[in-house]
Amino acid sequence: MVRRAPRILILGAGVIGLTTAHELQRRGHAVSIWAKDLPPGTTSDAAGAIWFPYLCGPADKVPGWSATGLAVFRDLAREHPTAGCDLMPVRMFFDAEPAIPDWHDLLPDLTTEPAPAGTGYPWTQTFTSVLIDVSVYMPHLLAAVVKGGAAIERRELHDLNETIAFADIVINCTGLGSLDLVADDDLHAVRGQTVRVSGPAPAQALIDDDAHNALAYVFPRRNDILVGGTSQHGDVRLEPDPDETAAILQRAAELYPAVASATVLGASVGLRPGRSSVRLLAGETAGTWLIHNYGHGGAGFTLSWGCAAEVGEIVDSIAG
């Protein structure tokens, strides 16, 4: 008897949903995708995407997931320039001597040292990461999934029961959309506003994560400079706030003074799916397997490939 391949449905087409789809295709599975929004209209398309484990957990899983992502993004940067990933020197600024991050062993060139004179900060850490230009990477990822044969339908889902008759395995990658799909009191919006500018670009990514201008960053992308940002818990406003745009530029100008005279191209808002830890687990109901993969906070890109690999292992075990 030939066993039928499982029908696999992925909910969501942000970076988590599309990466999960790509990984399952790589493992030989056919997938369908239902999504309310597609690139360039997802939360992921508004991200200041750099490999950096930010606002995420659990602590015992994040290093492994992050390591997988870093390896993939490094390979894309070196071997696939059209993917929009670039190896990037990073300088982080601190008001006090910083601790060594838990994931330091993934960054062999991590250095802690006094900040250069005139920066307004006493300490910095430098390392090489990967900057992901979402305006290039998200269309690249979507195209790869479409090329892999995914059937994609724009569909707003309000009840997971709608998926039971359609699929044997449902993978929930809806991010903040899970507020409407599952009872999860731990999930909440973390509003992030960014500003795109043009002008002379810095030679490295500049970040103040928790010093006196937090949150501030300047990311030199391929076609613009992305300046951020905000991290507003519980704020669900989707429209850019002009006052916040001005404040973002003012904070970032201390990292990179040229921001003050840069031409503003536009502002964007994304609602990060904040949670105490990523929800990645599987369960079976009425003969349908449901796998949750959401709650990646501010590290959706960083964790995307590692979490997709874990989902892939679960699906392989179910499919036999």
Side-chain angles (χ1 to χ4, degrees):
M1 178 182 294
V2 177
R3 184 175 181 179
R4 176 177 62 84
R7 298 166 299 173
I8 301 173
L9 174 63
I10 295 172
L11 307 178
V15 69
I16 299 301
L18 292 179
T19 306
T20 300
H22 193 290
E23 174 65 14
L24 293 180
Q25 290 173 331
R26 188 188 68 81
R27 292 170 179 258
H29 300 288
V31 301
S32 298
I33 299 174
W34 291 355
K36 176 184 176 182
D37 299 304
L38 299 175
T42 74
T43 294
S44 300
D45 292 277
I50 192 168
W51 183 93
F52 183 70
Y54 171 71
L55 197 66
C56 59
D60 63 327
K61 301 285 286 188
V62 164
W65 289 336
S66 299
T68 299
L70 184 58
V72 172
F73 287 126
R74 280 174 172 165
D75 178 71
L76 289 171
R78 291 166 176 153
E79 305 296 334
H80 304 278
T82 58
C85 303
D86 296 297
L87 294 170
M88 179 68 59
V90 177
R91 183 179 294 275
M92 297 189 65
F93 295 87
F94 299 88
D95 288 337
E97 184 174 0
I100 301 299
D102 293 339
W103 32 269
H104 71 278
D105 58 328
L106 302 177
L107 305 170
D109 63 343
L110 178 71
T111 301
T112 301
E113 59 190 358
T119 63
Y121 293 85
W123 288 92
T124 66
Q125 279 182 340
T126 58
F127 53 89
T128 302
S129 185
V130 181
L131 183 66
I132 302 112
D133 187 335
V134 297
S135 69
V136 180
Y137 180 74
M138 289 299 292
H140 169 87
L141 186 58
L142 176 61
V145 170
V146 170
K147 184 177 180 181
I152 301 178
E153 179 181 341
R154 294 196 67 161
R155 178 167 176 168
E156 187 170 0
L157 194 68
H158 298 287
D159 189 339
L160 284 174
N161 288 325
E162 298 174 38
T163 68
I164 291 176
F166 184 87
D168 304 300
I169 302 173
V170 178
I171 306 168
N172 175 23
C173 302
T174 59
L176 199 63
S178 291
L179 281 173
D180 295 328
L181 293 179
V182 298
D184 187 345
D185 295 336
D186 196 9
L187 184 65
H188 64 280
V190 183
R191 183 178 182 273
Q193 180 167 321
T194 58
V195 184
R196 293 180 298 108
V197 304
S198 65
Q204 57 190 344
L206 307 168
I207 304 172
D208 174 346
D209 180 32
D210 60 3
H212 61 274
N213 277 310
L215 177 65
Y217 54 83
V218 182
F219 293 164
R221 305 197 302 186
R222 295 189 176 186
N223 301 308
D224 57 26
I225 303 167
L226 191 71
V227 181
T230 65
S231 184
Q232 298 159 310
H233 290 255
D235 191 332
V236 297
R237 292 174 298 144
L238 287 171
E239 290 299 317
D241 184 323
D243 291 337
E244 286 176 356
T245 293
I248 287 168
L249 295 173
Q250 182 178 3
R251 292 195 301 271
E254 187 166 343
L255 303 179
Y256 186 61
V259 166
S261 57
T263 300
V264 175
L265 302 175
S268 300
V269 171
L271 302 181
R272 306 177 185 95
R275 202 172 185 276
S276 60
S277 64
V278 174
R279 189 180 188 194
L280 203 167
L281 54 83
E284 187 178 12
T285 303
T288 296
W289 282 91
L290 175 61
I291 304 171
H292 291 294
N293 184 17
Y294 70 86
H296 298 78
F301 286 83
T302 298
L303 304 181
S304 58
W305 288 103
C307 290
E310 186 163 323
V311 170
E313 292 170 0
I314 296 171
V315 171
D316 284 349
S317 68
I318 295 171

